[in-house]
Amino acid sequence: MADLGAKTGAEHLASLRDGRSFFLNGKAITGHVDHPAFRNSVRVGASLYDFAAHPDNIEKMTFASPSSGRRVSRAWQLPTSYEELVKRRKAISEISRQTCGWIGRSPDHVASALSGMMMSIDLFERHGRKRAAALHEYFMWARDNDVWCGYAIVPAQIDRLPPLHPGEPVNAAIVDEDSEGITIRGSRQLATGLTMAQELLVAAVQPLKPGEEKVGFTAMVPLSAKGLKLISRRSYEEGTSEFDAPLSSRFDENDAVVYFDDVKIPWERVFVHNDVEMAKAQWFETPVMAYQNYPAQIRLGNKLIFLLGLAYRMAEANGTLKMPGTQEALGQMAAETNQVRSMVAAMEVNGVRFGEYFIPNPGIQYSAQVLSQQLYPAFINRFRELAGGSVLARPSSHLDLSSPETSQLIERTQGSAILSAVERVKLFNLAWDAIGSEFGSRHTQYEMFYAGPTFSSRMRNFAAFDWDEAGGTVDALLETVANPI
């Protein structure tokens, strides 16, 4: 089988020009690829494919698909050994390094979820051979075309309240089906990165009860599907300059509420159908959770390295690096960064077999989620304490540095023996964008809740932990203690 070239950024951009319906600022946007609210981040996403396809990177970043021979992202790889898992991790780490960890729903995320499902194809076969065949065929197509997939798996929070329109589903549900497929109506919250993705995985991650079968489905939908509407939050990219907002202007991956207005999905794209038990099992009786959240920890490690380096450079610029308090704070942040990176290594070294596959240790992965949800806001708060008021004492925009009327004032108030005014302002613009801007605040919220509410992460960790081992150590000691009688 011929070894075919990898997907390029130009190919990916072409695939996104599909007429999908975004809604922003009261208007429908069909040409999102070139819209000022999305165009920079969309091109950053496309650049990830160019990076992987470059001759210097292609061996590290891709592998030959077993079915087509085309070079595709290692995110689609199903490792059968520790060595293959590490090779895959190195590729995924490079993906996040290209954005310094600021794009959370990079193409490896949902590819990992689909890969975890594929590892459990026998579970889907027990649910129904046709549904398992649909998953198998879709996986091969998505892998062979290196498709960027997003997902919408969380119900809208208003679903907990009495419906405004009784009889109309709030949470996306099947409202009709025929020989061609199912039709779904309702919403899902929250889908991230759909400006850069091609396909959408729709499923229910929350536990369902008997009687909620119409919500118990899993399917793939093209983002250009008729009736699929994407309601975007405010763009952080639009109207910003790269100098004033180095992160917001490039790495705003976008978040959107998804509304399905009678979207028809063919049977060949339906993996779970009207089954509340299978809707739950696909997440918790398979490697999906471990396999999709493991890359998130890899990304977080790279993001913390970037933030730690930024805090260090900021302390240098402020002349506080030699102060014991500064070193103490940076030392704590360094320890937290190494904690995340070490847990990634621990997941691999303590990896387990799942049939023929070798996967990251699920128990350690769940523990990493619990700790990182607590870690990130504390890490950012420590950064804020180091920054003090320095991130507030910045010019209003890049225009202040180029205007004859203000440039000399900026040089006198911002320049130092270490950095010129331009260099210092650029550094502190970056720091503010990371910790204080709306973009930075969104990321704090995102890291706290990307894996769901903190209580659910702790409960999953409780379920995954080996309590027999822990309790057994207590029992063993008690057996050595003589009874008084």
Side-chain angles (χ1 to χ4, degrees):
M1 186 180 294
D3 191 347
L4 305 177
K7 179 180 176 180
T8 65
E11 287 179 279
H12 186 65
L13 285 177
S15 75
L16 301 182
R17 301 183 192 277
D18 55 11
R20 69 189 65 182
S21 295
F22 263 101
F23 292 85
L24 178 71
N25 298 328
K27 295 180 180 179
I29 297 169
T30 54
H32 82 282
V33 171
D34 301 306
H35 193 279
F38 310 122
R39 62 190 176 199
N40 292 346
S41 55
V42 165
R43 280 157 180 76
V44 167
S47 73
L48 298 177
Y49 287 100
D50 284 333
F51 176 82
H54 192 280
D56 292 344
N57 305 324
I58 196 165
E59 180 60 34
K60 180 176 185 177
M61 300 299 296
T62 71
F63 73 112
S65 165
S67 52
S68 70
R70 185 177 190 183
R71 302 296 301 195
V72 298
S73 171
R74 288 194 183 274
W76 296 103
Q77 197 165 3
L78 308 179
T80 57
S81 67
Y82 167 79
E83 290 74 20
E84 287 183 355
L85 182 64
V86 170
K87 188 175 288 188
R88 180 178 182 271
R89 183 253 298 158
K90 289 180 178 179
I92 289 173
S93 183
E94 284 297 333
I95 292 173
S96 67
R97 282 169 62 89
Q98 299 311 300
T99 65
C100 302
W102 289 100
I103 290 184
R105 291 293 185 254
S106 48
D108 53 282
H109 189 81
V110 178
S112 296
L114 290 168
S115 296
M117 291 181 182
M118 190 63 188
M119 292 176 185
S120 310
I121 195 70
D122 57 334
L123 177 65
F124 285 84
E125 286 176 347
R126 292 197 294 273
H127 167 62
R129 290 192 174 184
K130 288 184 178 179
R131 305 283 63 79
L135 169 60
H136 183 269
E137 291 302 312
Y138 183 87
F139 177 84
M140 290 199 300
W141 173 79
R143 178 189 64 193
D144 292 351
N145 290 279
D146 213 347
V147 174
W148 189 326
C149 300
Y151 65 16
I153 60 175
V154 178
Q157 290 197 353
I158 59 170
D159 193 43
R160 303 168 185 169
L161 302 171
L164 183 62
H165 303 287
E168 282 293 304
V170 175
N171 193 7
I174 299 173
V175 294
D176 192 22
E177 58 184 77
D178 56 26
S179 60
E180 295 180 356
I182 62 174
T183 298
I184 61 174
R185 185 187 306 155
S187 65
R188 284 291 160 88
Q189 168 198 301
L190 182 68
T192 297
L194 298 191
T195 54
M196 297 177 274
Q198 300 163 264
E199 296 263 324
L200 182 66
L201 170 65
V202 191
V205 74
Q206 83 279 16
L208 301 175
K209 303 183 294 292
E212 296 181 309
E213 283 76 14
K214 295 301 181 182
V215 182
F217 70 92
T218 300
M220 297 299 308
V221 187
L223 283 164
S224 59
K226 181 181 178 181
L228 181 58
K229 299 175 180 179
L230 308 170
I231 308 165
S232 174
R233 61 152 165 78
R234 191 181 78 80
S235 168
Y236 307 144
E237 171 184 326
E238 189 172 20
T240 62
S241 75
E242 186 176 294
F243 183 85
D244 295 326
L247 301 175
S248 306
S249 63
R250 288 181 284 182
F251 301 140
D252 181 15
E253 61 188 329
N254 194 258
D255 306 291
V257 172
V258 184
Y259 186 76
F260 302 91
D261 191 1
D262 288 359
V263 175
K264 186 68 176 282
I265 307 176
W267 286 116
E268 59 265 27
R269 285 171 162 266
V270 180
F271 310 154
V272 176
H273 175 237
N274 287 356
D275 190 328
V276 297
E277 292 300 324
M278 184 59 198
K280 178 181 178 181
Q282 68 184 330
W283 303 108
F284 301 108
E285 296 180 26
T286 72
V288 169
M289 283 293 190
Y291 212 59
Q292 73 171 5
N293 289 317
Y294 161 71
Q297 295 297 315
I298 297 169
R299 176 196 57 79
L300 180 59
N302 286 329
K303 187 176 184 180
L304 294 180
I305 279 287
F306 173 82
L307 285 166
L308 183 61
L310 180 55
Y312 184 89
R313 290 284 183 249
M314 185 185 65
E316 282 184 322
N318 279 338
T320 61
L321 191 56
K322 293 183 179 181
M323 292 182 177
T326 299
Q327 293 182 2
E328 179 185 3
L330 289 172
Q332 177 65 34
M333 293 165 74
E336 291 165 344
T337 300
N338 278 333
Q339 172 186 303
V340 172
R341 299 168 85 194
S342 297
M343 292 194 81
V344 169
M347 290 179 222
E348 296 169 350
V349 171
N350 296 279
V352 297
R353 287 276 166 198
F354 188 88
E356 64 182 294
Y357 305 110
F358 189 84
I359 65 170
N361 185 287
I364 297 176
Q365 186 274 318
Y366 282 128
S367 294
Q369 280 183 266
V370 170
L371 295 174
S372 62
Q373 284 183 298
Q374 301 167 15
L375 179 154
Y376 193 83
F379 191 97
I380 293 298
N381 193 55
R382 204 166 281 112
F383 196 140
R384 283 175 169 272
E385 291 175 349
L386 283 173
S390 61
V391 288
L392 304 179
R394 296 172 298 116
S396 58
S397 79
H398 63 283
L399 298 175
D400 286 326
L401 288 92
S402 57
S403 165
E405 189 171 357
T406 57
S407 59
Q408 289 301 313
L409 286 172
I410 300 303
E411 186 64 44
R412 289 171 182 171
T413 57
Q414 298 288 341
S416 72
I418 301 174
L419 296 174
S420 70
V422 171
E423 291 170 331
R424 181 182 173 84
V425 173
K426 184 190 294 188
L427 174 65
F428 281 80
N429 281 347
L430 176 59
W432 179 251
D433 211 13
I435 66 172
S437 67
E438 191 171 355
F439 172 88
S441 296
R442 178 263 179 197
H443 270 266
T444 300
Q445 197 76 2
Y446 174 83
E447 297 294 358
M448 289 171 66
F449 294 104
Y450 92 90
T454 53
F455 75 85
S456 65
S457 296
R458 293 167 185 167
M459 290 178 69
R460 286 195 294 268
N461 195 40
F462 174 84
F465 195 79
D466 188 347
W467 295 107
D468 288 338
E469 178 188 10
T473 62
V474 177
D475 297 340
L477 181 93
L478 288 174
E479 289 178 0
T480 68
V481 178
N483 290 331
I485 299 175

